[in-house]
Amino acid sequence: MRTPHVVVVMGVAGTGKTTIGPLLAARLGVPYAEGDDFHPRANIDKMTAGVPLEDADRWPWLDAIGHWAQGRAGLGGVVSSSALKRAYRDRLRSVAPGVVFVHLTGDRRLIEERMARRRGHFMPTTLLDSQFATLQPLQADEAGVDVDVSGGPQEITERAVRALDALSGQPA
């Protein structure tokens, strides 16, 4: 099954973007790109040190993700990006106008528990508060869906596929 859409899996740290993104891409039959791989080293160093990124840090990262998405226009793809602010999503859309967002949402306590269990990731749980403070949920005029992250990865992925189906009016 293929989709011409490029889907950006978004949400605060710990919602499962890196887990759900590849599963969703496999389910849709399109390539996946890990958003964290687009970060310049300075961004990773900053987050590893527990320092939240500023907008100036994010622009080159968002542009790189947007260029990947633009290159997949008409072919489909899935890429992860926190895309927490409307301005960040607008930046992505300015480069890749047809992107659709899957906003992974969930209870803060559940997300914190999941973050605490993961190993080898540069994002500490101490930055979760800043992530929630920055988050601006999808607005009605933005192409996208909210998907609850309770349950297992396969269940969340199927929930995302159904939401995308409903958004497009046809099977993804």
Side-chain angles (χ1 to χ4, degrees), residues 42-82:
N43 285 9
I44 293 172
D45 291 345
K46 221 175 175 178
M47 290 182 285
T48 300
V51 178
L53 297 180
E54 297 176 14
D55 287 353
D57 301 317
R58 288 187 179 95
W59 299 138
W61 172 65
L62 290 165
D63 290 344
I65 291 171
H67 287 297
W68 182 88
Q70 179 187 50
R72 297 298 311 163
L75 302 170
V78 175
V79 62
S80 60
S81 170
S82 53

Side-chain angles (χ1 to χ4, degrees), residues 20-115:
I20 302 307
L23 293 172
L24 182 59
R27 179 72 169 70
L28 299 175
V30 297
Y32 171 73
E34 171 55 52
D36 287 342
D37 293 344
F38 294 92
H39 272 298
R41 182 80 233 165
N43 285 9
I44 293 172
D45 291 345
K46 221 175 175 178
M47 290 182 285
T48 300
V51 178
L53 297 180
E54 297 176 14
D55 287 353
D57 301 317
R58 288 187 179 95
W59 299 138
W61 172 65
L62 290 165
D63 290 344
I65 291 171
H67 287 297
W68 182 88
Q70 179 187 50
R72 297 298 311 163
L75 302 170
V78 175
V79 62
S80 60
S81 170
S82 53
L84 298 177
K85 285 185 180 179
R86 170 71 185 247
Y88 306 160
R89 297 187 298 272
D90 288 346
R91 184 82 174 223
L92 289 168
R93 280 189 293 264
S94 74
V95 179
V99 297
V100 174
F101 294 89
V102 169
H103 179 196
L104 299 179
T105 65
D107 176 72
R108 189 198 184 288
R109 188 172 54 243
L110 170 66
I111 294 166
E112 187 172 22
E113 288 169 6
R114 288 181 179 175
M115 279 184 79

Side-chain angles (χ1 to χ4, degrees), residues 92-143:
L92 289 168
R93 280 189 293 264
S94 74
V95 179
V99 297
V100 174
F101 294 89
V102 169
H103 179 196
L104 299 179
T105 65
D107 176 72
R108 189 198 184 288
R109 188 172 54 243
L110 170 66
I111 294 166
E112 187 172 22
E113 288 169 6
R114 288 181 179 175
M115 279 184 79
R117 286 194 306 260
R118 66 186 185 182
R119 300 288 173 248
H121 196 279
F122 58 82
M123 177 72 84
T125 57
T126 55
L127 289 182
L128 191 55
D129 286 337
S130 72
Q131 293 261 301
F132 273 105
T134 301
L135 177 64
Q136 296 172 343
L138 288 172
Q139 301 300 302
D141 65 332
E142 293 183 272

